[in-house]
Amino acid sequence: VGTNTFTATVSGLTVFSANVSSTAGAAASLTKISGGDGQTGGVGVALTNPLVVEARDQFGNVKSGVSVTFTASSGGGSVSPSGAQDTGSNGRVQVTATLGSAVGTHQFTAAATGLTSVVFSATGTLVPANVTMQDSTNTNNQIVAPGISLLTPLKVRVTNAGGVAVPSATVNWAVASGGGSVSAATSLTDASGDAVITATVGSSAGTNTFTAT
């Protein structure tokens, strides 16, 4: 692709020179660029590396202006930007892919008219996880007499970075201040990602603090 110059010379005559420009032919293939396929990430979260494809003609020249559409073909994820995009001068186009809420395999497809589609696969997990307060108006800032169990058990919800609930996660409970106690050192989250514990305040009046990690 580019300008080619051809010359013809005969001794004693004026040199003849011809410039011929060549361009890439029709797009013949889409290819995945390394780094996008086979990633692992948290469900509901954008993958670290973009998904990139490259268009080339039958001679291996990169092809600009090819309309490519990325879609989430399984797993319920999404891509950004959505809709068709044209390949640039380097023959490439890319999107950011976000996994759906399901644990397991997710797939994203890049398609262009007349070309074989390209499929990227990724694995969704529930880690890393975060502990967040759940129903804080009911479980936080309760008031009871010294030495009495809280009327409402403490509750926390464990989610991953995408806000998806993490079931069967171990939550560690502890007394941070006030001399109280908890009914168990650990508890498991349920299908909604919630873990509960019964807490008892200390024998002296004042603030009691409990932690969940």
Side-chain angles (χ1 to χ4, degrees):
V1 176
T3 301
N4 293 261
T5 302
F6 303 89
T7 61
T9 61
V10 178
S11 179
L13 299 180
T14 302
V15 174
F16 171 78
S17 178
N19 294 321
V20 179
S21 296
S22 62
T23 60
S29 65
L30 279 181
T31 304
K32 287 184 284 190
I33 299 303
S34 177
D37 198 25
Q39 297 183 73
T40 296
V43 293
V45 180
L47 293 173
T48 301
N49 298 325
L51 310 184
V52 186
V53 294
E54 183 178 81
R56 289 182 177 270
D57 67 11
Q58 61 178 322
F59 302 108
N61 299 306
V62 295
K63 177 66 175 176
S64 63
V66 178
S67 180
V68 179
T69 301
F70 287 83
T71 57
S73 44
S74 69
S78 61
V79 295
S80 179
S82 59
Q85 299 181 79
D86 288 345
T87 55
S89 59
N90 61 355
R92 297 183 180 186
V93 65
Q94 69 180 50
V95 296
T96 297
T98 298
L99 301 182
S101 60
V103 173
T105 300
H106 297 245
Q107 291 186 322
F108 301 87
T109 301
T113 301
L115 303 180
T116 301
S117 298
V118 170
V119 178
F120 294 84
S121 294
T123 301
T125 70
L126 285 172
V127 293
N130 307 300
V131 179
T132 59
M133 183 66 72
Q134 172 71 10
D135 296 336
S136 59
T137 56
N138 294 325
T139 67
N140 199 23
N141 296 319
Q142 298 182 61
I143 299 175
V144 295
I148 300 297
S149 296
L150 297 179
L151 300 178
T152 303
L154 301 179
K155 179 190 291 186
V156 293
R157 172 165 292 175
V158 178
T159 62
N160 81 331
V164 179
V166 180
S168 301
T170 299
V171 175
N172 301 296
W173 301 90
V175 179
S177 67
S181 63
V182 289
S183 59
T186 63
S187 63
L188 293 177
T189 56
D190 59 19
S192 298
D194 294 334
V196 297
I197 202 73
T198 299
T200 300
V201 300
S203 58
S204 300
T207 300
N208 287 247
T209 305
F210 305 89
T211 62
T213 56

